[in-house]
Structure formats: C-alpha cells, structure tokens
Amino acid sequence: MEQQKKFMREAIRLSIENVESGKGGPFGAVIVKDGAIIASGVNRVTDSNDPTAHAEVVAIREACEKLGSFQLDGCEIYTSCEPCPMCLGAIYWARPDKLYYANTKKDAAEIEFDDDFIYEELDLPIGNRKLSTVQLLRDEAMVAFLKWSESEDKIEY
C-alpha cells in the first residue's frame, strides 16, 4: 500500500499546485503502469476554456497518446477526488485495472463542486430533464450504425 500512497500523494500535490497557480480547480490525477507514472493531469477547465478538461480526462488523453492505445490496460488511475460522472464514464471507457481516489464527491460538493444534479438528471426520463433534448433523423443516422456493424475493417472497443 505504500506504493499506492506515493502515487496518491502525487495526485494530491498536483491538485494543490493547481490551486496555487490559479490555473484551475483543486483536482489532480496520475496514471500508473508497471509501477511508474506515465501521465498526469490537473483541472484545466477555466485555463483552457474546455469544460471537459478535468484532471482525469487530461491524464487519460496523455496516457493513451503515450501508450498508442485507446485503452489503459494494465494501468491504475489515482485521482485527488472521487470522479464526476463525466470522468467516471471516461475512466470506464479507458478500462484501467483500478481506480483510487482521495476526497469524496460530498467533499467536493461542500466547496461548490456539486455533481449531484447530473446524477439526478440521468435518472429522469429524457423528456423530464432540464436540458431540452430532441431526437431527430434517427433513420438517417442508423446508416452509420449499419455500416459499422457490417464492416470487417473496424477496430472494436
């Protein structure tokens, strides 16, 4: 467990450094493979004007580029806070072996980083959500899905 604590301390250090630099929120993440950090990320939402630039997503992008893969097989993710719904989805898609986190989503809510509204929205039928959501042109869009299902050149994931 000492090795895991070392990696978590690095994610925490990055989160503190990010606050001190004024570049983003108090979140840091590192990705580890074979006992070494291969990528790191900090929250860059306001710095980059990118609402998807959360620490975990930034780290996943860097790790995947370094590995030349869209999956993080054999990797572990250490994040200074329990991931938000977007980051958790990205983590599941990246398929690391393990996720470690420090602060909880309740801790984040207490400093006004509250993602509960997203979890609540996901439980609602589409028509009852706050974000107006309208389905259009499904039949036309299904062409791409049919082509994908018939393709012999696809890389499945």
Side-chain angles (χ1 to χ4, degrees), residues 8-29 41-43 55 79-81 102-103 111:
M8 183 57 75
R9 285 188 179 105
E10 177 60 10
I12 293 167
R13 185 193 69 74
L14 289 168
S15 71
I16 294 167
E17 182 179 90
N18 204 48
V19 172
E20 292 173 346
S21 74
K23 292 184 178 178
F27 305 99
V42 294
N43 180 283
T79 181
S80 64
C81 186
N103 293 322
I111 61 164

Side-chain angles (χ1 to χ4, degrees), residues 77-119:
I77 296 181
Y78 295 79
T79 181
S80 64
C81 186
E82 185 175 358
C84 75
M86 177 187 70
C87 292
L88 189 58
I91 290 166
Y92 271 97
W93 280 116
R95 293 176 174 85
D97 292 354
K98 195 171 258 189
L99 164 67
Y100 297 90
Y101 69 93
N103 293 322
T104 67
K105 62 184 179 181
K106 183 178 181 294
D107 297 330
E110 289 175 1
I111 61 164
E112 299 182 18
F113 285 94
D114 189 358
D115 302 318
D116 279 346
F117 79 96
I118 298 172
Y119 289 109

Side-chain angles (χ1 to χ4, degrees), residues 140-157:
E140 292 179 32
M142 286 301 292
V143 172
F145 281 19
L146 179 60
K147 287 183 178 292
W148 172 262
S149 67
E150 294 173 349
S151 175
E152 294 181 17
D153 296 329
K154 62 187 169 200
I155 298 172
E156 295 192 25
Y157 54 98

Side-chain angles (χ1 to χ4, degrees), residues 135-144:
Q135 185 178 23
L136 292 173
L137 303 175
R138 178 175 181 259
D139 290 342
E140 292 179 32
M142 286 301 292
V143 172

